[in-house]
Amino acid sequence: MATQRAVLSSPQGDFAGLLLAEREVAPRAAVIANEAAALLKGCAISVYLYDEDESPAWSVKGRVGETRVEESLEAATLAKLAEQREPLLFSGASLAREHYAHLDVRRTVASLAYVPILLDEVLLGAIEAVSFDRQLGEDDVESLSELTEFAALALATALAYENERNSNLDSITRLTQLYDVEKVFNSTLQMGELMPIICAKVRELLNTRAVNLYMVGEDDLSLMSSAGEDPTVEMEGAPDEIIRQVGDSGEPVVINDANDPRLGQRNGKLQEGRIAGLMAAPVIHEDALVAVLECVEKSDGTEFDEDDLFFLSMMTQTAAGALHNASLMEAEKKIEILETLVAVSNEIRFRGSARWRRPARPLEEAVVNGPQRIMSYDRGSVALETKGKLQLKAVSGVTEIVHNDTAMRRLREMLEFSAQYDKPLYVVAHGDTVEADREETRQKFFDYFKETGVRAWYAMPLIDDQGKLGVLSFESVNPDFLAEAQFEFINVLAAQATVALRNASLYDEVPLIGVLAAAAAVILFLIVVPLPMRVSGDAAVAPQSSANVDAEVQGVVRNVYVHEGDRVAKGTILADLDDWDYRAALAAAQARRETALAAMNRALATNDGSEAGIQRVQAEYWTAETDRARERLERTRLRSPIEGVVATPHIE
């Protein structure tokens, strides 16, 4: 019986065992280098891996001896090996120094030998031997070639192992990143804070030049937040064809071709900052488009691939939930603001109409104390002009103003300065920097902020068609205490306060109001109980038909759009009632309906049928309430029931 030669017998068996003991590329390359150095005494050995898609294509993985390898340099000898893919033997005298410039050697090179590591005709790497004392021969090359039979398989399996491990690590990393994304996105319910967080986090994880977030508005998508530099778009500008395509189709788009006509249209006439690729995906919540998230170019110059698109799609799902929750929070805030505005407005209107009766708490106190329900400020104040001078009328939290007090004098001084402006004055301090439009303003508030510890001041002039009435101010130690909703609230509050204060001042200026009230009572008596008299004169022509227009809901007339003698068609709006209460009721019903629907969906997702049924009933109830609230809101508009001519004199 013939005996087959044992391939793994010593010393090959020991060599193979050492290779199997290691699993990664670098340790196995080190084993190969040590074995080659043992075969070629006195030679420096390097083991390289080859990847034609990388730059440089050759990378050293194992080394023994007196040489060092400069990985950033390409070598002519290695390039020739990659081209011919067969053993090469060079004499040191036949080579110029630049031919092996990748080697950092301190001795004269006598000879160089290269043996390729091939597996199924695929070049995996090479063994390099550098001799300083003798000329290497064919026998030396042959001995190295015997090692490559084991080295090729060892390096191939090590590469496969590392690729699989790295792939698993990438998957774990992506899962960890998605978990982190969910935590970060849900860390705030403030829409203004959430949008920049989404853009910055997506840009960080996908390593892109810029990320843009387009939010769905009333009519179109609008760019609401951005991270990075992208000169092809403008904040709150109209979206281009690509974003509209994603929004309309609900499907993601990936463009890696710089010559794509859509990118050409996007770049326009830009010379610098032109983009050569982008990726955009829709942000969808419960089958409704919420936003579009766009990534512009990868920072490393590579193209967007399927993994990038998958990762972006996963992040848009998390962003959709976070944006929806933030929108619900915004709706709740708006309801709270509306309710507060209605309450403060009613209080202002009541105190203004009762001014002549001297209510226990002045009208001005309602103006400075009422907003504390929805605004976090340290002090509110109102000052009114009296005989050409500004007089402090009310300060929040202060029942009685001591005008000689130092703090009150300083406050009045700042109000007088603010009253010089015919528009709102907003001054904030971040650190030692005071942000204001004029140097005089910056210096004045720098001193004031330093004295009081306040970091923000907002003053709104109280102006109507008769002139300036006074100034309303709010101040806080938090420089960012006002958001967009609070600015809108203050604008409405100031307008209502101006009207109420003007009416109150007119009450104060009318003399002998009691006499006038008595005279009015006498006139009313004469109208109700007329003295008998004989009427003579021409006959009057009466209309064929007339109609009285009555309000179907209670309220205060806000606007009148017609005058005596105006011809109107059927359905023409004649007047509007103050509808804050009805709008607030409608917004509250809509918010509660959305809350019930969201709770129902969560219950369905967790297979809680009982809870889902309860929430469905709640949703149906609030749907009906929403319809009723919308109907009541519509009734605040007084419409003409017939076509005709307005006959009521002085209707306004």
Side-chain angles (χ1 to χ4, degrees):
M1 185 176 192
T3 301
Q4 185 178 10
R5 182 175 67 86
V7 176
L8 298 180
S9 63
S10 181
Q12 290 90 343
D14 294 339
F15 176 50
L18 291 172
L19 290 174
L20 290 174
E22 304 293 347
R23 301 184 66 181
E24 298 180 351
V25 171
R28 288 189 175 182
V31 171
I32 297 169
N34 287 326
E35 186 68 20
L39 291 173
L40 303 181
K41 302 294 185 181
C43 291
I45 304 297
S46 297
V47 177
Y48 296 91
L49 278 186
Y50 177 75
D51 188 347
E52 61 182 354
D53 294 329
E54 295 292 330
S55 180
W58 295 94
S59 60
V60 64
K61 295 298 180 182
R63 183 175 59 83
V64 175
E66 301 178 28
T67 62
R68 288 193 310 153
V69 178
E70 301 291 342
E71 296 186 14
S72 61
L73 296 177
E74 291 283 2
T77 52
L78 288 171
K80 187 174 182 180
L81 178 66
E83 180 182 353
Q84 297 186 7
R85 304 198 178 194
E86 60 183 21
L88 299 176
L89 186 60
F90 300 99
S91 169
S94 65
L95 292 175
R97 181 65 183 88
E98 58 268 17
H99 291 158
Y100 53 93
H102 66 293
L103 295 177
D104 183 6
V105 293
R106 297 292 184 266
R107 299 172 59 186
T108 302
V109 175
S111 182
L112 278 173
Y114 292 91
V115 178
I117 301 175
L118 298 169
L119 181 65
D120 297 333
E121 304 300 325
V122 176
L123 180 62
L124 297 180
I127 301 175
E128 176 189 64
V130 183
S131 174
F132 302 101
D133 302 324
R134 65 185 179 87
Q135 181 69 36
L136 298 175
E138 295 294 337
D139 292 341
D140 299 313
V141 174
E142 182 67 25
S143 62
L144 291 179
S145 298
E146 293 179 3
L147 295 180
T148 61
E149 297 178 10
F150 299 100
L153 187 58
L155 292 178
T157 54
L159 285 169
Y161 165 74
E162 288 192 356
N163 289 336
E164 181 179 0
R165 182 195 61 189
N166 292 338
S167 177
N168 291 335
L169 287 176
D170 288 342
S171 299
I172 294 172
T173 301
R174 283 290 169 92
L175 288 174
T176 304
Q177 289 173 337
L178 287 174
Y179 175 71
D180 179 60
V181 163
E182 185 170 359
K183 288 175 56 180
V184 172
F185 285 4
N186 290 288
S187 63
T188 179
L189 289 174
Q190 305 295 329
M191 185 68 77
E193 298 177 2
L194 175 60
M195 292 188 294
I197 288 176
I198 291 175
C199 293
K201 196 64 178 177
V202 172
R203 180 171 181 252
E204 173 192 343
L205 296 181
L206 288 175
N207 190 27
T208 61
R209 169 178 154 184
V211 171
N212 302 317
L213 179 64
Y214 295 83
M215 295 291 294
V216 175
E218 295 182 359
D219 302 319
D220 202 351
L221 289 159
S222 297
L223 179 63
M224 299 303 295
S225 186
S226 182
E229 296 295 331
D230 181 8
T232 65
V233 296
E234 296 180 359
M235 191 60 63
E236 298 187 9
D240 62 2
E241 177 188 349
I242 303 171
I243 302 304
R244 285 198 175 93
Q245 176 186 345
V246 174
D248 293 340
S249 65
E251 297 293 334
V253 168
V254 177
I255 302 176
N256 287 315
D257 183 7
N259 297 319
D260 190 292
R262 292 171 294 180
L263 289 184
Q265 182 181 7
R266 172 78 167 264
N267 289 317
K269 297 182 179 180
L270 276 178
Q271 298 300 322
E272 296 183 1
R274 296 174 65 86
I275 61 177
L278 63 79
M279 174 174 61
V283 180
I284 298 176
H285 180 77
E286 296 181 352
D287 297 329
L289 181 69
V290 177
V292 172
L293 199 57
E294 176 190 57
C295 300
V296 178
E297 285 187 0
K298 298 189 72 172
S299 299
D300 57 8
T302 59
E303 296 183 347
F304 291 110
D305 55 26
E306 292 183 358
D307 288 341
D308 295 324
L309 180 58
F310 174 77
F311 194 36
L312 177 62
S313 299
M314 295 298 294
M315 286 191 286
T316 59
Q317 295 179 21
T318 305
L323 289 170
H324 177 69
N325 293 336
S327 66
L328 291 179
M329 184 66 179
E330 291 286 322
E332 290 289 343
K333 281 188 175 182
K334 289 181 179 179
I335 293 172
E336 185 180 3
I337 289 174
L338 285 174
E339 290 175 346
T340 302
L341 186 56
V342 169
V344 174
S345 299
N346 289 337
E347 189 173 5
I348 290 174
R349 189 162 51 243
F350 168 75
R351 295 188 186 186
S353 62
R355 183 70 170 230
W356 63 278
R357 287 187 270 131
R358 304 296 179 190
R361 297 180 63 194
L363 164 64
E364 293 83 1
E365 287 190 13
V367 177
V368 297
N369 290 317
Q372 288 179 336
R373 305 172 194 175
I374 60 163
M375 288 171 53
S376 178
Y377 57 92
D378 291 278
R379 185 166 65 180
S381 55
V382 62
L384 301 179
E385 287 191 2
T386 304
K387 298 180 179 179
K389 293 184 178 181
L390 202 65
Q391 184 176 1
L392 192 61
K393 289 293 186 180
V395 178
S396 61
V398 177
T399 56
E400 183 177 355
I401 299 175
V402 180
H403 294 282
N404 292 328
D405 181 71
T406 303
M408 293 298 105
R409 287 203 306 269
R410 190 74 171 103
L411 175 60
R412 185 174 64 253
E413 178 184 343
M414 300 308 295
L415 289 169
E416 289 175 348
F417 179 82
S418 301
Q420 300 174 12
Y421 288 77
D422 291 331
K423 60 182 181 179
L425 175 62
Y426 186 36
V427 184
V428 297
H430 292 96
D432 294 332
T433 303
V434 177
E435 301 173 9
D437 56 349
R438 297 190 305 178
E439 179 61 31
E440 178 189 4
T441 305
R442 282 192 290 270
Q443 186 58 49
K444 194 169 189 66
F445 278 93
F446 180 84
D447 298 337
Y448 181 71
F449 289 165
K450 185 176 181 180
E451 293 174 15
T452 62
V454 172
R455 310 301 291 169
W457 170 280
Y458 186 76
M460 170 69 71
L462 304 178
I463 303 176
D464 59 9
D465 54 357
Q466 298 184 37
K468 183 175 293 185
L469 188 62
V471 62
L472 170 67
S473 73
F474 297 96
E475 48 190 316
S476 173
V477 295
N478 177 15
D480 303 314
F481 79 108
L482 291 177
E484 183 179 355
Q486 278 80 26
F487 284 118
E488 295 178 358
F489 174 85
I490 294 175
N491 289 336
V492 177
L493 175 67
Q496 294 189 343
T498 301
V499 174
L501 289 169
R502 178 66 72 185
N503 292 339
S505 67
L506 292 177
Y507 276 118
D508 292 339
E509 293 173 2
V510 174
L512 304 176
I513 191 168
V515 176
L516 293 178
V522 172
I523 294 173
L524 180 62
F525 173 78
L526 293 177
I527 294 174
V528 175
V529 187
L531 296 177
M533 63 181 64
R534 184 173 180 177
V535 179
S536 61
D538 298 332
V541 179
Q544 182 178 358
S545 61
S546 62
N548 294 324
V549 180
D550 298 322
E552 299 182 41
V553 294
Q554 293 183 351
V556 177
V557 177
R558 183 179 63 189
N559 291 315
V560 177
Y561 303 109
V562 295
H563 304 280
E564 180 185 6
D566 289 351
R567 177 172 291 277
V568 296
K570 183 178 181 180
T572 300
I573 299 175
L574 306 178
D576 280 338
L577 301 182
D578 193 341
D579 59 359
W580 280 109
D581 293 340
Y582 301 101
R583 288 187 181 277
L586 175 59
Q590 289 174 332
R592 290 186 171 90
R593 175 180 176 274
E594 291 295 328
T595 302
L597 288 173
M600 181 185 72
N601 291 331
R602 286 195 298 269
L604 290 174
T606 57
N607 294 323
D608 189 350
S610 176
E611 180 64 20
I614 294 173
Q615 295 301 329
R616 179 180 179 181
V617 172
Q618 288 287 333
E620 291 175 351
Y621 169 76
W622 286 112
T623 298
E625 284 297 308
T626 300
D627 294 337
R628 283 192 287 271
R630 187 177 289 108
E631 182 180 350
R632 287 193 293 269
L633 177 61
E634 178 61 25
R635 290 177 180 175
T636 62
R637 314 206 78 177
L638 278 63
R639 300 178 182 273
S640 173
I642 61 173
E643 180 181 359
V645 178
V646 177
T648 302
H650 309 297
I651 186 171
E652 64 277 8

